[in-house]
């Protein structure tokens, strides 16, 4: 954490350790630079997961969470970025190609737009699906019933 603070200063908004894992909240606009440094200089060569958390009452509604692993050091690092509903998050597909799928999932489930993504589109749900099911204010039963009725011509069993 000291090396990150020394290199990126105020762009490291928060830093703490939980169960021997460093967790850094980083400035959204510097995510790509910090991710590149994490891979190249700190040897976090594996993006194990990229997901999000919805905090609908917060101004910066979403936490975009990158879980990184270093094979050479056998260490984990979690990077977090806060983003408002209308703020795009920079894509890290140029650093970790697996982010292509993971960012599409976060887009599909939360509606988070990843700026610079090579083909941002739904990955789990049909293109015509309305809304984003992992948002805490999403009414899944209403949407599911409507989609089943419209696309399958039956009443949902839920």
């Amino acid at each position: 954490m000291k090396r990150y603070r020394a290199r990126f200063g105020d762009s490291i908004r928060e830093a703490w350790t939980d169960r021997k894992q460093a967790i850094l909240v980083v400035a959204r606009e510097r995510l790509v630079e910090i991710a590149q440094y994490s891979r190249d200089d700190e040897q976090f060569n594996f993006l194990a997961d990229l997901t999000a958390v919805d905090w609908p009452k917060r101004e910066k509604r979403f936490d975009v969470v990158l879980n990184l692993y270093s094979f050479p050091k056998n260490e984990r690092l979690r990077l977090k970025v806060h983003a408002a509903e209308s703020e795009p998050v920079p894509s890290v597909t140029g650093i970790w190609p697996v982010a292509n799928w993971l960012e599409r999932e976060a887009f599909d489930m939360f509606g988070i737009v990843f700026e610079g993504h090579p083909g941002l589109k739904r990955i789990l749900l049909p293109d015509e699906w309305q809304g984003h099911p992992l948002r805490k204010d999403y009414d899944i039963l209403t949407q599911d019933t409507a989609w089943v009725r419209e696309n399958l011509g039956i009443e949902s069993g839920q």
Side-chain angles (χ1 to χ4, degrees):
M1 289 189 290
K2 289 178 186 176
R3 288 190 301 273
Y4 279 87
R5 283 204 185 274
R7 182 169 179 123
F8 298 105
D10 291 342
S11 293
I12 305 300
R13 303 287 163 84
E14 298 176 55
W16 69 94
T17 303
D18 183 15
R19 287 166 261 195
K20 298 181 184 179
Q21 180 183 38
I23 302 167
L24 305 173
V25 178
V26 304
R28 182 181 51 83
E29 60 275 4
R30 299 215 42 208
L31 174 62
V32 172
E33 182 183 356
I34 293 169
Q36 186 83 47
Y37 170 81
S38 298
R39 187 194 69 186
D40 296 346
D41 295 4
E42 296 293 334
Q43 298 181 310
F44 287 98
N45 47 359
F46 180 54
L47 175 61
D49 194 21
L50 184 151
T51 190
V53 180
D54 183 14
W55 302 95
K57 294 180 181 174
R58 228 175 45 186
E59 180 185 344
K60 300 276 188 179
R61 178 177 185 161
F62 299 110
D63 286 350
V64 175
V65 183
L66 290 78
N67 292 305
L68 309 178
Y69 181 72
S70 170
F71 283 102
K73 300 191 297 186
N74 189 27
E75 292 179 7
R76 296 181 184 280
L77 171 67
R78 184 177 308 156
L79 299 178
K80 290 185 178 186
V81 174
H82 297 309
E85 188 169 353
S86 60
E87 286 180 317
V89 174
S91 175
V92 294
T93 56
I95 299 166
W96 296 288
V98 71
N100 185 327
W101 297 86
L102 301 171
E103 290 175 357
R104 285 179 59 197
E105 182 180 11
F107 168 72
D108 200 358
M109 296 290 106
F110 293 94
I112 298 167
V113 173
F114 290 89
E115 192 169 56
H117 188 282
L120 196 60
K121 59 183 180 178
R122 289 197 182 270
I123 191 169
L124 299 172
L125 295 170
D127 290 338
E128 66 275 4
W129 194 269
Q130 299 296 309
H132 306 284
L134 291 183
R135 288 185 177 197
K136 291 185 178 164
D137 56 1
Y138 183 78
D139 183 358
I140 187 67
L141 292 179
T142 300
Q143 172 59 28
D144 179 64
T145 301
W147 190 89
V148 168
R149 184 181 308 117
E150 182 178 325
N151 292 282
L152 302 179
I154 61 173
E155 289 301 315
S156 176
Q158 294 197 31

